[in-house]
Amino acid sequence: MTTYGSFPGTRPRRLRTSPVMRRMVAETRLHPADFILPAFVREGVAEPVPISSMPGVVQHTRDSLKKAAAEAVAAGISGIMLFGVPEESKKDGAGTAGTDPDGILQVALRDVRAEVGDDLLVMSDLCLDEFTDHGHCGVLDDQGRVDNDATLERYAEMAQVQADAGAHVVGPSGMMDGQIGVIRDALDQIGREDVAILAYTAKYASAFYGPFREAVGSSLQGDRRTYQQDPANLRESMRELELDLEEGADMVMVKPAGPYLDVLAKVADAVDVPVVAYQISGEYAMIEAAAEKGWIDRDKAILESLTGIRRAGARSILTYWATEVAQTLR
Ligand code: PBG
């Protein structure tokens, strides 16, 4: 046998020889504190309602939401992001239920705050789409277009009402220009400098939101391409990022996560505020569906998808698996 001296002189495989070696050299780790659970609460239901396109996820009742929040605390995750699903009859053009102190989201915020106190960050989706009868994230002008500045006034009121109801963090997800600045002002005006803003900075008009539309009983016809970003663009995200930071964002988000890891990496390189990624409903549904068919190993695929998102630069991740994964990590 021919020998080649010490060839190959460098052997990267030495650092992959055993589980403990791989664990020591791992550059990315998952920890329960990395996770935030998005949760849906539906008005007027007596039992949790399963979401067929998101096996394992439900529209909560007020009671089952409180239980999910308590489980999230026990699992050691950092936050819960609440989405309200109002009764169909309460939807209107202005999304009035979104600013009603007795609207489902506000009621749920108070319930969850009473349950968890300060042991879990209570976050609220700050957007009108669940509450409007046309399903858009803002109010419409007389031509049926989403009216940016009229929507900002609604967001300002929503921020104040959500803060009053107990949100530690508000998550503006509507992609209106100027939304972060207006919301910061609105919160400061009522003396709520303590409420943080998690800005949906780079939110793309994605086909992967499909299952979410079922989850919130969306009334949307058409799409959100006049306000959410075009999937083709990366530089545009950097512009959105600059604006959100100028306007007072405390944390910035990239959404969806998996198909946008390049955006996430670039944003994470560019800023010193915490960067958050949202692994959305379609990303969840794809893994669950493939696993159900026996085509992939569910648990490994979940951890790999989350590791990839952390590796790309996310400090925190919103994922529908938050509590489950945190439990397995403990
Ligand atoms: C808007 C909002 C959406 C999601 C979170 N906030 C839907 C949309 O923009 O159409 C999607 C989340 C998911 O798909 O998991 N309020």
Side-chain angles (χ1 to χ4, degrees):
M1 191 183 124
T2 320
T3 58
Y4 295 96
S6 60
F7 177 83
T10 306
R11 294 180 182 271
R13 287 186 57 198
R14 273 197 286 267
L15 297 181
R16 300 174 200 146
T17 46
S18 66
V20 68
M21 178 67 90
R22 293 193 292 273
R23 191 177 69 190
M24 184 182 79
V25 303
E27 297 170 41
T28 307
R29 290 184 216 284
L30 299 175
H31 185 277
D34 299 337
F35 298 110
I36 300 164
L37 177 70
F40 307 104
V41 56
R42 179 162 166 188
E43 190 170 28
V45 289
E47 292 295 325
V49 181
I51 301 163
S52 63
S53 52
M54 300 176 74
V57 180
V58 299
Q59 294 175 326
H60 282 291
T61 65
R62 287 177 60 184
D63 263 358
S64 71
L65 178 66
K66 282 191 268 180
K67 278 187 209 126
E71 264 174 43
V73 172
I77 69 171
S78 291
I80 188 166
M81 173 70 80
L82 300 184
F83 296 89
V85 184
E87 276 167 12
E88 206 52 39
S89 64
K90 301 217 174 130
K91 293 183 180 181
D92 60 19
T96 308
T99 45
D100 179 350
D102 296 319
I104 182 63
L105 183 52
Q106 283 66 255
V107 167
L109 285 166
R110 285 194 293 270
D111 283 347
V112 171
R113 256 323 273 286
E115 180 73 31
V116 305
D118 291 328
D119 294 339
L120 186 69
L121 289 172
V122 179
M123 309 184 175
S124 53
D125 185 49
L126 201 168
C127 193
L128 285 171
D129 66 313
E130 289 94 359
F131 307 103
T132 52
D133 54 11
H134 46 71
H136 277 294
C137 295
V139 295
L140 307 182
D141 66 16
D142 52 14
Q143 313 225 29
R145 294 173 303 204
V146 174
D147 184 333
N148 193 87
D149 298 7
T151 300
L152 293 182
E153 288 175 32
R154 301 286 299 123
Y155 286 180
E157 193 182 340
M158 241 185 147
Q160 294 176 338
V161 170
Q162 292 180 350
D164 280 346
H168 294 107
V169 179
V170 295
S173 64
M175 291 301 282
M176 295 301 127
D177 294 336
Q179 62 183 7
I180 303 305
V182 163
I183 288 167
R184 185 70 269 159
D185 274 353
L187 291 168
D188 292 352
Q189 265 168 32
I190 59 164
R192 296 308 302 273
E193 295 84 2
D194 60 318
V195 174
I197 301 177
L198 166 54
Y200 285 60
T201 291
K203 179 173 178 181
Y204 287 88
S206 173
F208 297 100
Y209 300 142
F212 178 92
R213 304 271 163 90
E214 179 194 346
V216 299
S218 173
S219 308
L220 184 69
Q221 307 282 323
D223 59 57
R224 306 196 196 286
R225 284 184 291 180
T226 67
Y227 41 105
Q228 296 178 348
Q229 285 180 240
D230 185 334
N233 297 347
L234 172 61
R235 290 153 61 89
E236 188 179 20
S237 284
M238 303 316 285
R239 186 125 193 273
E240 290 281 0
L241 177 64
E242 214 176 288
L243 292 169
D244 279 0
L245 292 174
E246 261 171 39
E247 291 176 32
D250 299 291
M251 298 172 268
V252 296
M253 189 198 293
V254 173
K255 174 185 178 182
Y260 296 87
L261 294 183
D262 58 330
V263 180
L264 188 54
K266 194 158 181 203
V267 167
D269 267 353
V271 294
D272 45 20
V273 298
V275 175
V276 179
Y278 195 147
Q279 183 182 52
I280 60 159
S281 57
E283 298 176 74
Y284 176 91
M286 286 191 294
I287 290 179
E288 290 287 350
E292 202 175 287
K293 283 189 169 281
W295 291 348
I296 53 171
D297 180 322
R298 177 184 181 275
D299 297 355
K300 286 199 176 115
I302 291 171
L303 289 179
E304 186 174 331
S305 69
L306 294 168
T307 300
I309 294 167
R310 286 271 294 120
R311 190 190 62 237
R315 168 65 279 171
S316 312
I317 306 174
L318 283 101
T319 172
Y320 299 95
W321 291 301
T323 301
E324 178 191 329
V325 167
Q327 284 163 349
T328 66
L329 293 172
R330 281 161 85 89

